[in-house]
Amino acid sequence: MFFRLVWFAALGLSTGYLLYLLHYEWVTYNEHPFMTSSSVKRVSSIQFPAITFCNLSPLNRSKVAADPRDEEYHMAVSRLNFFGNNINWSDPYYREHDYFRPRTYDDMINESMNRTSVLKMVFFDQEDVINDVEDTITQYGMCFTWNANGLASTTYTGNSMNFVALLSINTNQSYQSMDNSHGFKVRICQPMTSTSSTENKSATFVLSPVA
C-alpha cells in the first residue's frame, strides 16, 4: 500500500509539473506575437550577380614543372607538403630560375593556363560574352570573373538562358596548385565586390571534372 501511495504521488507531481510547463510555454508564446506578410513584386528585369570561377589546377605544367626540382617545390608549398622532400635551396637551379624573386602579375599570367584553353564557351541569354570575362588573381591563382561591374541584367528564366559556360580543366597540361585538386571553384556574389571580401554575402561551390 505504501509503494502505491508513493507511485501515485510521483505520478501526480510529474503530471502537475508537465501542466505547469505547458501553461508557461503557452503564456510565453502569447506574449510574443508576430505577423508575417508576403507580396508579389513584378519587375521587368533583375541585376545578375558576378561570377568568378577558378581552376583548382591553374598552372601550366610545361612552364612550372619542367624539372623534378620544380615539382619538389610545388609539393612543398601544397597541402600535401608532408609527402615531399626537403628542398636544397643552395642548388643554383632555384636562383637561376628566379625562385628568390618576388612574383608579379606578369609571372602569374605566364605560369597559368592560357585563358583560351580554359574558357571554351561563355554565353549570357544566348549571347556570346566570352570577351567580357576578366582575369582575376585570387588565392587560388589565376581566376576569371564575369559581370564584375554589374552591368548585366536579365528578363529571362530557364536552363537555356542566363549564364552558361563551358570550361576545360586540361588535365594533361594543367598542374596542381596549393590545394592539389582538379575541378573549378565557383563564387557567385554581388557585383563590384572584391573576390577576397568576407563582408559580401556570396555562394561558393566546387564543380568536379567530368570525363
Side-chain angles (χ1 to χ4, degrees):
M1 186 66 179
F2 174 75
F3 290 104
R4 289 185 178 181
L5 291 175
V6 171
W7 189 85
F8 279 116
L11 179 61
L13 290 173
S14 300
T15 303
Y17 186 63
L18 174 62
L19 294 174
Y20 166 76
L21 291 178
L22 291 174
H23 178 265
Y24 175 80
E25 294 296 332
W26 177 257
V27 172
T28 303
Y29 174 79
N30 288 325
E31 288 179 349
H32 297 83
F34 62 91
M35 181 180 296
T36 302
S37 62
S38 61
S39 61
V40 177
K41 181 180 180 181
R42 299 184 182 277
V43 295
S44 58
S45 65
I46 188 170
Q47 184 186 46
F48 210 78
I51 302 177
T52 298
F53 30 92
C54 301
N55 188 348
L56 295 179
S57 296
L59 303 177
N60 189 322
R61 179 181 297 273
S62 64
K63 296 182 178 180
V64 301
D67 186 276
R69 287 167 289 190
D70 297 320
E71 295 190 8
E72 288 182 0
Y73 166 78
H74 287 289
M75 177 62 75
V77 298
S78 74
R79 300 188 188 277
L80 299 180
N81 54 69
F82 46 86
F83 288 117
N85 300 319
N86 293 329
I87 298 178
N88 179 18
W89 290 111
S90 62
D91 189 332
Y93 176 85
Y94 295 105
R95 187 169 297 280
E96 293 170 359
H97 289 79
D98 296 328
Y99 272 85
F100 294 96
R101 179 176 57 81
R103 315 308 294 159
T104 65
Y105 179 81
D106 290 337
D107 291 330
M108 297 290 295
I109 295 291
N110 181 60
E111 296 172 356
S112 300
M113 295 294 298
N114 188 294
R115 62 178 285 146
T116 58
S117 66
V118 177
L119 306 177
K120 296 302 183 181
M121 180 187 74
V122 182
F123 279 79
F124 180 68
D125 287 348
Q126 298 186 346
E127 293 186 10
D128 188 352
V129 294
I130 195 168
N131 292 327
D132 298 331
V133 178
E134 304 174 6
D135 297 340
T136 307
I137 300 296
T138 73
Q139 60 178 326
Y140 302 104
M142 180 60 66
C143 299
F144 306 96
T145 300
W146 178 79
N147 196 35
N149 55 17
L151 297 179
S153 61
T154 184
T155 59
Y156 302 101
T157 59
N159 57 9
S160 63
M161 306 299 289
N162 299 157
F163 185 80
V164 178
L166 176 62
L167 312 173
S168 176
I169 298 176
N170 293 289
T171 54
N172 294 329
Q173 186 60 27
S174 62
Y175 193 75
Q176 65 191 19
S177 64
M178 61 181 293
D179 286 329
N180 302 94
S181 302
H182 280 296
F184 281 91
K185 176 161 285 191
V186 182
R187 182 173 186 261
I188 303 174
C189 64
Q190 182 178 348
M192 304 182 69
T193 302
S194 170
T195 55
S196 60
S197 174
T198 58
E199 298 179 355
N200 178 41
K201 293 183 179 180
S202 63
T204 303
F205 55 91
V206 175
L207 298 176
S208 302
V210 178

